Amino acid sequence: MALKRPKGTFDLLPPGSPGLEKHNAMNRHQLVLEQVRETLERAGAKFIQTPLFEALELVKRGVGETTDVVQKEMYSVSHRGSDEGFVLRPEGTAPIVRAYLENGLKQFPAPLKLWTYGPMFRAERQQEGRYRQFHQVDYEVLGSDDPLTDAEAIVLMWQVLERVGLKNLEMKVSSLGDPPDREAYSTYLREVFAPHLERLSPLSLSRLERNPLRILDSKEAQDIALIAQLSPKSLLESLGESAKVHLDRVCAYLTAWGVTYALDPGIVRGLDYYRRTAWEVHHTGVGAKAALGGGGRYDGLAELLGGPPTPGVGWALGVERILIALEAEAVPAPALVGPLLYLGALEEGLLENVTGLALELRRSASCEFGYRAKKPGKHLEDAVKKGAVFLGLIGPDEADTGTLSLKNLERGEGWVLPRAELPEYLRNYLSSH
Ligand code: HAM
């Protein structure tokens, strides 16, 4: 039997491939990436890339031992003769903070804006919008706890999504408080659940002591029912003064810039490093509970990783989920781009002539050629299939006179052109189209 790709993964495919689904069109993926790059780099973000695998310890400490990501979704990487633990990275924030600390990036004027893009790995149950290898774009700002950096991060995420063409978006903002707020809230939650321990799922019960907030994010039906019945007050309602003032400033900026958002106490986030501002963007076309992206402030993360106190805030968007949302809104995919010129030989002996010309033209324009000599009508069919703008043919007459028969396939006009004039002709065409 032919071999298959691992479960939960997919191939990114060129347009027109039979295996295309909503989330794996390479042309759409690349266009989104280009739009993201332009939006973030105009705001001063610098591109960074970290390894695809990292120390297990980094992910445990950064993302948090009690999270689903660490407890259930990690891919371990081993190599012979080493007992060091490595994992495929499940997210980009802890690696970027590690890279910032390790490479002395603190020397750049603060705040430093970084962005990255690439595959992330989580062993989740496969369903639409949830894969085991997926792609994130990730924006991180290090070195400032100014609420303006939070607000700018949120508005950039919003602008990215608008730029790619999405409309049915919901921005949900909350605050997870400062550590003392969270500690007090955890104590409150333990008290609320204490009389009902037998009704909690085993997973939630195991989290009650170390991270009761995670219980509020449980997907287990029995936990969801218990939470609905007890309706504990939210962390957002229990913020201390400084976290509250910080959130108010973030919201004031968003309002001033005309960003539509809603305060939502239900935003818990699946990773442990957050404090203060946290947010998610949801889309009606991507299943319930599945966000297009999320982010927040993580001022304590650098210290958890062994570095000096370094405030930070950032977000990540799932590229596949953006593609699913674009399909749901019927945003047109970029057109298939064919070569500017398709060259064909009318006799086998002229193939060197044709291919030599093609290689030269490729210095300034896209040019493909037919691999066999064919009749003009057959070359025309091939050029049209490729989506070429021009067809150029070389037969014995053209070979003798140093010319080529050129046809503009959009207009249907044809003429004979000296080959020496071709590069300039194509350059002029490109600059006027
Ligand atoms: P996250 O919420 O875990 O945050 O992931 C961000 C986005 O990645 C999700 O909203 C979703 O679009 C996409 N995503 C996550 N898991 C999957 C999956 N299994 N399949 C497809 N897409 C997925 C983070 O990763 C944080 N590092 C974000 C952040 C950056 N916070 C601060 N800075």
Side-chain angles (χ1 to χ4, degrees), residues 69 73 90-94 120-125 127 129-140 157 269-271 273-274 279-281 290-298 313-322:
V69 167
E73 299 168 2
E91 60 101 50
T93 310
M120 305 290 164
F121 306 86
R122 299 183 192 178
E124 297 202 67
R125 216 160 33 155
Q127 50 185 288
R130 213 170 274 287
Y131 312 99
R132 295 184 168 175
Q133 175 174 340
F134 57 98
H135 296 81
Q136 281 187 348
V137 287
D138 190 315
Y139 167 81
E140 311 289 353
M157 188 177 189
R269 306 289 297 126
L271 314 165
Y273 44 63
Y274 294 111
W279 68 90
E280 282 176 3
V281 174
L292 283 188
R297 178 161 283 287
Y298 47 83
V313 64
W315 51 257
L317 280 163
V319 180
E320 289 73 28
R321 291 193 191 169
I322 291 178

Side-chain angles (χ1 to χ4, degrees), residues 48 60 100 156 171 186 188 210 224 238 246 256 271 300 336:
I48 183 170
K60 269 199 200 162
Y100 177 90
L156 278 171
M171 170 66 75
S186 296
Y188 160 76
R210 288 184 62 191
I224 293 171
S238 323
H246 194 271
L271 314 165
L336 176 67

Side-chain angles (χ1 to χ4, degrees), residues 63-379:
V63 171
E65 297 229 29
T66 56
T67 56
D68 281 353
V69 167
V70 168
Q71 290 196 336
K72 301 193 270 183
E73 299 168 2
M74 217 95 89
Y75 282 105
S76 62
V77 177
S78 59
H79 50 100
R80 249 193 270 184
S82 166
D83 49 14
E84 275 179 89
F86 295 104
V87 289
L88 292 179
R89 62 179 187 189
E91 60 101 50
T93 310
I96 287 182
V97 174
R98 177 203 49 70
Y100 177 90
L101 298 170
E102 190 171 345
N103 298 293
L105 303 189
K106 191 174 187 300
Q107 62 139 8
F108 286 108
L112 178 63
K113 298 171 185 176
L114 298 167
W115 80 281
T116 195
Y117 151 82
M120 305 290 164
F121 306 86
R122 299 183 192 178
E124 297 202 67
R125 216 160 33 155
Q126 182 186 1
Q127 50 185 288
E128 185 172 270
R130 213 170 274 287
Y131 312 99
R132 295 184 168 175
Q133 175 174 340
F134 57 98
H135 296 81
Q136 281 187 348
V137 287
D138 190 315
Y139 167 81
E140 311 289 353
V141 187
L142 289 150
S144 169
D145 64 0
D146 190 323
L148 181 50
T149 56
D150 306 48
E152 188 189 20
I154 295 174
V155 79
L156 278 171
M157 188 177 189
W158 190 254
Q159 286 179 332
V160 160
L161 292 169
E162 278 184 341
R163 175 80 199 277
V164 304
L166 289 174
K167 295 206 168 62
N168 305 331
L169 301 165
E170 276 180 314
M171 170 66 75
K172 302 178 179 189
V173 179
S174 190
S175 173
L176 299 176
D178 282 310
D181 308 340
R182 214 155 143 163
E183 207 29 67
Y185 186 68
S186 296
T187 307
Y188 160 76
L189 280 184
R190 282 184 207 107
E191 283 163 13
V192 168
F193 288 119
H196 309 279
L197 297 183
E198 72 293 345
R199 291 180 57 195
L200 281 175
S201 69
L203 184 61
S204 288
L205 198 57
S206 74
R207 287 170 168 174
L208 188 65
E209 213 24 64
R210 288 184 62 191
N211 198 351
L213 233 79
R214 291 250 61 78
I215 298 175
L216 300 180
D217 205 23
S218 168
K219 314 271 181 306
E220 303 287 332
Q222 66 191 99
D223 296 327
I224 293 171
L226 183 61
I227 292 160
Q229 186 200 325
L230 299 176
S231 66
K233 70 175 176 188
S234 69
L235 177 51
L236 188 59
E237 292 166 289
S238 323
L239 294 182
E241 193 51 27
S242 80
K244 203 174 153 346
V245 170
H246 194 271
L247 178 64
D248 288 346
R249 285 303 305 148
V250 174
C251 292
Y253 281 119
L254 294 180
T255 306
W257 299 332
V259 179
T260 314
Y261 69 94
L263 279 181
D264 185 336
I267 298 298
V268 182
R269 306 289 297 126
L271 314 165
D272 271 356
Y273 44 63
Y274 294 111
R275 56 172 75 163
R276 295 197 173 181
T277 325
W279 68 90
E280 282 176 3
V281 174
H282 290 251
H283 186 275
T284 44
V286 184
K289 278 218 148 201
L292 283 188
R297 178 161 283 287
Y298 47 83
D299 293 348
L301 178 56
E303 283 160 281
L304 278 178
L305 304 184
T310 311
V313 64
W315 51 257
L317 280 163
V319 180
E320 289 73 28
R321 291 193 191 169
I322 291 178
L323 264 51
I324 292 170
L326 287 169
E327 281 273 336
E329 285 194 25
V331 177
L336 176 67
V337 182
L340 182 60
L341 176 64
Y342 185 90
L343 286 178
L346 301 185
E347 291 177 0
E348 289 289 312
L350 297 172
L351 271 174
E352 281 172 19
N353 222 307
V354 160
T355 48
L357 179 62
L359 295 182
E360 194 188 309
L361 290 171
R362 281 177 189 171
R363 290 181 217 270
S364 53
S366 54
C367 181
E368 294 189 37
F369 52 76
Y371 285 81
R372 303 298 302 267
K374 289 185 183 175
K375 297 218 163 65
K378 290 282 171 208
H379 279 311

